[in-house]
Amino acid sequence: MEIILSKQCESLTGSLGRGFGYHIQKRKNGFFAKRNSHGDIPRDGHLRFIFACAELAQSKLHITDIRVPSEELMYALWKAGRETLGDYIFTEPDKFPETFHADDIMKFKNEYSL
């Protein structure tokens, strides 16, 4: 999952995803959230982190956009106990984008009352 941070927030990369099951890494072509299963992570931590990043991206304060592959969103849904919805993305890939941006995530969240 790629996170596009505003310049003033680049120092947050180490702690941004902690507690939600992600570790933010800076690479030469951007910032990426690597899934991490270590520590005390809530069952819905991955999904909550994706939603939080999307909400921040809409405000354009700290995060300007995110790019979440559909497989990452499926995993987060399955992990959060929303297996049916995760399976729906898997079995109906033509109905969903291959990569979800912040606006896509928020539309998805509202449409399926998450």
mmCIF file of all heavy atoms in Angstrom, residues 43-75:
data_model
loop_
_atom_site.group_PDB
_atom_site.id
_atom_site.type_symbol
_atom_site.label_atom_id
_atom_site.label_comp_id
_atom_site.label_asym_id
_atom_site.label_seq_id
_atom_site.Cartn_x
_atom_site.Cartn_y
_atom_site.Cartn_z
ATOM 1 N N ARG A 43 -8.045 -6.930 15.739
ATOM 2 C CA ARG A 43 -8.470 -7.739 14.588
ATOM 3 C C ARG A 43 -8.814 -6.877 13.381
ATOM 4 O O ARG A 43 -8.536 -7.233 12.245
ATOM 5 C CB ARG A 43 -9.667 -8.590 15.011
ATOM 6 C CG ARG A 43 -10.183 -9.520 13.940
ATOM 7 C CD ARG A 43 -11.275 -10.422 14.503
ATOM 8 N NE ARG A 43 -12.026 -11.042 13.451
ATOM 9 C CZ ARG A 43 -11.772 -12.249 12.954
ATOM 10 N NH1 ARG A 43 -10.772 -12.940 13.446
ATOM 11 N NH2 ARG A 43 -12.503 -12.748 11.996
ATOM 12 N N ASP A 44 -9.389 -5.705 13.625
ATOM 13 C CA ASP A 44 -9.745 -4.819 12.527
ATOM 14 C C ASP A 44 -8.723 -3.696 12.320
ATOM 15 O O ASP A 44 -8.992 -2.714 11.648
ATOM 16 C CB ASP A 44 -11.131 -4.223 12.751
ATOM 17 C CG ASP A 44 -11.198 -3.334 13.979
ATOM 18 O OD1 ASP A 44 -10.269 -3.381 14.816
ATOM 19 O OD2 ASP A 44 -12.180 -2.586 14.100
ATOM 20 N N GLY A 45 -7.528 -3.860 12.868
ATOM 21 C CA GLY A 45 -6.501 -2.818 12.800
ATOM 22 C C GLY A 45 -6.110 -2.430 11.391
ATOM 23 O O GLY A 45 -5.961 -1.247 11.075
ATOM 24 N N HIS A 46 -5.930 -3.422 10.515
ATOM 25 C CA HIS A 46 -5.538 -3.128 9.138
ATOM 26 C C HIS A 46 -6.610 -2.286 8.443
ATOM 27 O O HIS A 46 -6.302 -1.290 7.781
ATOM 28 C CB HIS A 46 -5.303 -4.418 8.339
ATOM 29 C CG HIS A 46 -4.181 -5.246 8.859
ATOM 30 N ND1 HIS A 46 -2.868 -4.880 8.747
ATOM 31 C CD2 HIS A 46 -4.180 -6.439 9.498
ATOM 32 C CE1 HIS A 46 -2.092 -5.809 9.289
ATOM 33 N NE2 HIS A 46 -2.885 -6.761 9.760
ATOM 34 N N LEU A 47 -7.857 -2.672 8.603
ATOM 35 C CA LEU A 47 -8.960 -1.959 7.972
ATOM 36 C C LEU A 47 -9.099 -0.548 8.546
ATOM 37 O O LEU A 47 -9.281 0.417 7.797
ATOM 38 C CB LEU A 47 -10.264 -2.749 8.150
ATOM 39 C CG LEU A 47 -11.462 -2.283 7.345
ATOM 40 C CD1 LEU A 47 -11.174 -2.352 5.844
ATOM 41 C CD2 LEU A 47 -12.679 -3.138 7.676
ATOM 42 N N ARG A 48 -8.971 -0.416 9.846
ATOM 43 C CA ARG A 48 -9.053 0.905 10.481
ATOM 44 C C ARG A 48 -7.942 1.821 9.992
ATOM 45 O O ARG A 48 -8.164 3.017 9.790
ATOM 46 C CB ARG A 48 -9.009 0.761 12.000
ATOM 47 C CG ARG A 48 -10.301 0.221 12.557
ATOM 48 C CD ARG A 48 -10.321 -0.024 14.042
ATOM 49 N NE ARG A 48 -9.453 0.803 14.831
ATOM 50 C CZ ARG A 48 -8.997 0.454 16.029
ATOM 51 N NH1 ARG A 48 -9.326 -0.704 16.553
ATOM 52 N NH2 ARG A 48 -8.219 1.265 16.707
ATOM 53 N N PHE A 49 -6.751 1.276 9.789
ATOM 54 C CA PHE A 49 -5.635 2.078 9.306
ATOM 55 C C PHE A 49 -5.894 2.567 7.881
ATOM 56 O O PHE A 49 -5.660 3.737 7.558
ATOM 57 C CB PHE A 49 -4.336 1.277 9.363
ATOM 58 C CG PHE A 49 -3.134 2.047 8.903
ATOM 59 C CD1 PHE A 49 -2.619 3.071 9.679
ATOM 60 C CD2 PHE A 49 -2.526 1.760 7.697
ATOM 61 C CE1 PHE A 49 -1.514 3.792 9.256
ATOM 62 C CE2 PHE A 49 -1.421 2.475 7.270
ATOM 63 C CZ PHE A 49 -0.916 3.491 8.050
ATOM 64 N N ILE A 50 -6.398 1.694 7.034
ATOM 65 C CA ILE A 50 -6.715 2.084 5.652
ATOM 66 C C ILE A 50 -7.766 3.193 5.648
ATOM 67 O O ILE A 50 -7.626 4.202 4.949
ATOM 68 C CB ILE A 50 -7.188 0.868 4.834
ATOM 69 C CG1 ILE A 50 -6.006 -0.089 4.597
ATOM 70 C CG2 ILE A 50 -7.808 1.300 3.500
ATOM 71 C CD1 ILE A 50 -6.389 -1.428 3.997
ATOM 72 N N PHE A 51 -8.812 3.053 6.456
ATOM 73 C CA PHE A 51 -9.852 4.073 6.523
ATOM 74 C C PHE A 51 -9.312 5.388 7.085
ATOM 75 O O PHE A 51 -9.656 6.462 6.598
ATOM 76 C CB PHE A 51 -11.038 3.596 7.359
ATOM 77 C CG PHE A 51 -11.860 2.520 6.707
ATOM 78 C CD1 PHE A 51 -12.616 1.664 7.481
ATOM 79 C CD2 PHE A 51 -11.882 2.352 5.335
ATOM 80 C CE1 PHE A 51 -13.393 0.672 6.896
ATOM 81 C CE2 PHE A 51 -12.650 1.362 4.735
ATOM 82 C CZ PHE A 51 -13.407 0.522 5.532
ATOM 83 N N ALA A 52 -8.476 5.305 8.104
ATOM 84 C CA ALA A 52 -7.902 6.520 8.699
ATOM 85 C C ALA A 52 -7.040 7.265 7.684
ATOM 86 O O ALA A 52 -7.114 8.495 7.579
ATOM 87 C CB ALA A 52 -7.096 6.170 9.939
ATOM 88 N N CYS A 53 -6.236 6.536 6.931
ATOM 89 C CA CYS A 53 -5.397 7.165 5.905
ATOM 90 C C CYS A 53 -6.257 7.810 4.821
ATOM 91 O O CYS A 53 -5.956 8.912 4.360
ATOM 92 C CB CYS A 53 -4.446 6.144 5.279
ATOM 93 S SG CYS A 53 -3.096 5.647 6.354
ATOM 94 N N ALA A 54 -7.332 7.149 4.435
ATOM 95 C CA ALA A 54 -8.222 7.704 3.411
ATOM 96 C C ALA A 54 -8.894 8.978 3.911
ATOM 97 O O ALA A 54 -9.018 9.959 3.170
ATOM 98 C CB ALA A 54 -9.268 6.670 2.999
ATOM 99 N N GLU A 55 -9.314 8.986 5.174
ATOM 100 C CA GLU A 55 -9.940 10.183 5.733
ATOM 101 C C GLU A 55 -8.952 11.337 5.808
ATOM 102 O O GLU A 55 -9.291 12.477 5.493
ATOM 103 C CB GLU A 55 -10.519 9.874 7.111
ATOM 104 C CG GLU A 55 -11.765 9.010 7.049
ATOM 105 C CD GLU A 55 -12.266 8.581 8.412
ATOM 106 O OE1 GLU A 55 -11.801 9.131 9.438
ATOM 107 O OE2 GLU A 55 -13.122 7.682 8.458
ATOM 108 N N LEU A 56 -7.718 11.037 6.219
ATOM 109 C CA LEU A 56 -6.690 12.080 6.255
ATOM 110 C C LEU A 56 -6.392 12.597 4.853
ATOM 111 O O LEU A 56 -6.166 13.788 4.652
ATOM 112 C CB LEU A 56 -5.403 11.555 6.894
ATOM 113 C CG LEU A 56 -5.377 11.493 8.404
ATOM 114 C CD1 LEU A 56 -4.119 10.790 8.880
ATOM 115 C CD2 LEU A 56 -5.451 12.892 8.998
ATOM 116 N N ALA A 57 -6.380 11.709 3.888
ATOM 117 C CA ALA A 57 -6.095 12.112 2.508
ATOM 118 C C ALA A 57 -7.172 13.052 1.971
ATOM 119 O O ALA A 57 -6.872 13.965 1.201
ATOM 120 C CB ALA A 57 -5.958 10.886 1.613
ATOM 121 N N GLN A 58 -8.402 12.830 2.367
ATOM 122 C CA GLN A 58 -9.459 13.721 1.908
ATOM 123 C C GLN A 58 -9.301 15.124 2.476
ATOM 124 O O GLN A 58 -9.658 16.095 1.842
ATOM 125 C CB GLN A 58 -10.831 13.153 2.245
ATOM 126 C CG GLN A 58 -11.200 12.002 1.345
ATOM 127 C CD GLN A 58 -12.662 11.637 1.467
ATOM 128 O OE1 GLN A 58 -13.243 11.665 2.537
ATOM 129 N NE2 GLN A 58 -13.257 11.286 0.337
ATOM 130 N N SER A 59 -8.730 15.227 3.675
ATOM 131 C CA SER A 59 -8.515 16.542 4.269
ATOM 132 C C SER A 59 -7.254 17.209 3.720
ATOM 133 O O SER A 59 -7.066 18.404 3.887
ATOM 134 C CB SER A 59 -8.407 16.426 5.792
ATOM 135 O OG SER A 59 -7.202 15.780 6.145
ATOM 136 N N LYS A 60 -6.389 16.416 3.086
ATOM 137 C CA LYS A 60 -5.137 16.896 2.475
ATOM 138 C C LYS A 60 -4.182 17.528 3.486
ATOM 139 O O LYS A 60 -3.305 18.291 3.123
ATOM 140 C CB LYS A 60 -5.401 17.897 1.349
ATOM 141 C CG LYS A 60 -6.286 17.396 0.250
ATOM 142 C CD LYS A 60 -5.596 16.390 -0.609
ATOM 143 C CE LYS A 60 -6.464 16.059 -1.830
ATOM 144 N NZ LYS A 60 -6.305 14.729 -2.283
ATOM 145 N N LEU A 61 -4.333 17.217 4.772
ATOM 146 C CA LEU A 61 -3.452 17.801 5.779
ATOM 147 C C LEU A 61 -2.120 17.068 5.884
ATOM 148 O O LEU A 61 -1.070 17.664 5.724
ATOM 149 C CB LEU A 61 -4.141 17.803 7.145
ATOM 150 C CG LEU A 61 -5.307 18.757 7.300
ATOM 151 C CD1 LEU A 61 -5.967 18.570 8.654
ATOM 152 C CD2 LEU A 61 -4.838 20.182 7.122
ATOM 153 N N HIS A 62 -2.162 15.799 6.197
ATOM 154 C CA HIS A 62 -0.936 15.040 6.434
ATOM 155 C C HIS A 62 -0.649 14.043 5.319
ATOM 156 O O HIS A 62 0.486 13.801 4.970
ATOM 157 C CB HIS A 62 -1.020 14.297 7.769
ATOM 158 C CG HIS A 62 -1.354 15.196 8.916
ATOM 159 N ND1 HIS A 62 -0.522 16.196 9.325
ATOM 160 C CD2 HIS A 62 -2.446 15.271 9.709
ATOM 161 C CE1 HIS A 62 -1.078 16.842 10.344
ATOM 162 N NE2 HIS A 62 -2.247 16.300 10.589
ATOM 163 N N ILE A 63 -1.701 13.479 4.805
ATOM 164 C CA ILE A 63 -1.599 12.501 3.723
ATOM 165 C C ILE A 63 -2.359 13.094 2.539
ATOM 166 O O ILE A 63 -3.473 13.584 2.707
ATOM 167 C CB ILE A 63 -2.214 11.146 4.144
ATOM 168 C CG1 ILE A 63 -1.429 10.546 5.306
ATOM 169 C CG2 ILE A 63 -2.265 10.183 2.973
ATOM 170 C CD1 ILE A 63 -2.046 9.303 5.897
ATOM 171 N N THR A 64 -1.754 13.056 1.368
ATOM 172 C CA THR A 64 -2.443 13.640 0.217
ATOM 173 C C THR A 64 -3.198 12.598 -0.598
ATOM 174 O O THR A 64 -4.142 12.931 -1.286
ATOM 175 C CB THR A 64 -1.465 14.411 -0.682
ATOM 176 O OG1 THR A 64 -0.412 13.550 -1.076
ATOM 177 C CG2 THR A 64 -0.887 15.607 0.061
ATOM 178 N N ASP A 65 -2.778 11.329 -0.546
ATOM 179 C CA ASP A 65 -3.513 10.251 -1.208
ATOM 180 C C ASP A 65 -2.932 8.921 -0.739
ATOM 181 O O ASP A 65 -1.865 8.879 -0.137
ATOM 182 C CB ASP A 65 -3.402 10.341 -2.729
ATOM 183 C CG ASP A 65 -4.484 9.519 -3.452
ATOM 184 O OD1 ASP A 65 -5.393 8.982 -2.769
ATOM 185 O OD2 ASP A 65 -4.417 9.398 -4.673
ATOM 186 N N ILE A 66 -3.662 7.870 -0.994
ATOM 187 C CA ILE A 66 -3.178 6.512 -0.752
ATOM 188 C C ILE A 66 -3.505 5.679 -1.978
ATOM 189 O O ILE A 66 -4.418 6.016 -2.729
ATOM 190 C CB ILE A 66 -3.788 5.857 0.519
ATOM 191 C CG1 ILE A 66 -5.308 5.765 0.409
ATOM 192 C CG2 ILE A 66 -3.364 6.585 1.762
ATOM 193 C CD1 ILE A 66 -5.941 4.978 1.540
ATOM 194 N N ARG A 67 -2.765 4.616 -2.159
ATOM 195 C CA ARG A 67 -3.026 3.667 -3.239
ATOM 196 C C ARG A 67 -3.034 2.282 -2.616
ATOM 197 O O ARG A 67 -1.989 1.767 -2.222
ATOM 198 C CB ARG A 67 -1.962 3.779 -4.325
ATOM 199 C CG ARG A 67 -1.982 5.100 -5.038
ATOM 200 C CD ARG A 67 -0.954 5.167 -6.150
ATOM 201 N NE ARG A 67 -0.902 6.512 -6.678
ATOM 202 C CZ ARG A 67 0.151 7.313 -6.576
ATOM 203 N NH1 ARG A 67 1.248 6.898 -5.993
ATOM 204 N NH2 ARG A 67 0.113 8.530 -7.072
ATOM 205 N N VAL A 68 -4.203 1.706 -2.527
ATOM 206 C CA VAL A 68 -4.377 0.412 -1.878
ATOM 207 C C VAL A 68 -4.755 -0.626 -2.934
ATOM 208 O O VAL A 68 -5.831 -0.543 -3.519
ATOM 209 C CB VAL A 68 -5.485 0.467 -0.799
ATOM 210 C CG1 VAL A 68 -5.617 -0.869 -0.093
ATOM 211 C CG2 VAL A 68 -5.215 1.577 0.194
ATOM 212 N N PRO A 69 -3.880 -1.615 -3.171
ATOM 213 C CA PRO A 69 -4.258 -2.684 -4.104
ATOM 214 C C PRO A 69 -5.497 -3.418 -3.583
ATOM 215 O O PRO A 69 -5.696 -3.550 -2.370
ATOM 216 C CB PRO A 69 -3.044 -3.607 -4.117
ATOM 217 C CG PRO A 69 -1.919 -2.792 -3.575
ATOM 218 C CD PRO A 69 -2.535 -1.799 -2.643
ATOM 219 N N SER A 70 -6.328 -3.883 -4.490
ATOM 220 C CA SER A 70 -7.557 -4.563 -4.069
ATOM 221 C C SER A 70 -7.253 -5.765 -3.182
ATOM 222 O O SER A 70 -8.009 -6.068 -2.258
ATOM 223 C CB SER A 70 -8.388 -4.971 -5.279
ATOM 224 O OG SER A 70 -7.677 -5.842 -6.117
ATOM 225 N N GLU A 71 -6.117 -6.438 -3.418
ATOM 226 C CA GLU A 71 -5.746 -7.593 -2.586
ATOM 227 C C GLU A 71 -5.511 -7.175 -1.133
ATOM 228 O O GLU A 71 -5.838 -7.907 -0.209
ATOM 229 C CB GLU A 71 -4.476 -8.276 -3.112
ATOM 230 C CG GLU A 71 -4.621 -8.876 -4.490
ATOM 231 C CD GLU A 71 -4.351 -7.858 -5.601
ATOM 232 O OE1 GLU A 71 -3.777 -6.781 -5.330
ATOM 233 O OE2 GLU A 71 -4.746 -8.142 -6.737
ATOM 234 N N GLU A 72 -4.943 -5.994 -0.933
ATOM 235 C CA GLU A 72 -4.689 -5.496 0.422
ATOM 236 C C GLU A 72 -6.003 -5.183 1.135
ATOM 237 O O GLU A 72 -6.178 -5.494 2.306
ATOM 238 C CB GLU A 72 -3.802 -4.255 0.366
ATOM 239 C CG GLU A 72 -3.369 -3.746 1.714
ATOM 240 C CD GLU A 72 -2.384 -4.649 2.418
ATOM 241 O OE1 GLU A 72 -1.659 -5.423 1.748
ATOM 242 O OE2 GLU A 72 -2.331 -4.602 3.655
ATOM 243 N N LEU A 73 -6.943 -4.590 0.413
ATOM 244 C CA LEU A 73 -8.250 -4.302 1.000
ATOM 245 C C LEU A 73 -8.991 -5.597 1.314
ATOM 246 O O LEU A 73 -9.614 -5.714 2.370
ATOM 247 C CB LEU A 73 -9.074 -3.412 0.074
ATOM 248 C CG LEU A 73 -10.432 -2.977 0.604
ATOM 249 C CD1 LEU A 73 -10.294 -2.220 1.922
ATOM 250 C CD2 LEU A 73 -11.158 -2.118 -0.423
ATOM 251 N N MET A 74 -8.899 -6.592 0.423
ATOM 252 C CA MET A 74 -9.530 -7.893 0.684
ATOM 253 C C MET A 74 -8.972 -8.508 1.962
ATOM 254 O O MET A 74 -9.730 -8.977 2.810
ATOM 255 C CB MET A 74 -9.293 -8.858 -0.482
ATOM 256 C CG MET A 74 -10.151 -8.613 -1.681
ATOM 257 S SD MET A 74 -9.981 -9.885 -2.951
ATOM 258 C CE MET A 74 -8.311 -9.675 -3.497
ATOM 259 N N TYR A 75 -7.649 -8.488 2.109
ATOM 260 C CA TYR A 75 -7.018 -9.053 3.300
ATOM 261 C C TYR A 75 -7.515 -8.336 4.566
ATOM 262 O O TYR A 75 -7.856 -8.974 5.563
ATOM 263 C CB TYR A 75 -5.490 -8.951 3.204
ATOM 264 C CG TYR A 75 -4.803 -9.406 4.456
ATOM 265 C CD1 TYR A 75 -4.553 -10.759 4.675
ATOM 266 C CD2 TYR A 75 -4.429 -8.499 5.437
ATOM 267 C CE1 TYR A 75 -3.945 -11.190 5.834
ATOM 268 C CE2 TYR A 75 -3.822 -8.926 6.606
ATOM 269 C CZ TYR A 75 -3.580 -10.267 6.803
ATOM 270 O OH TYR A 75 -2.979 -10.685 7.961
#
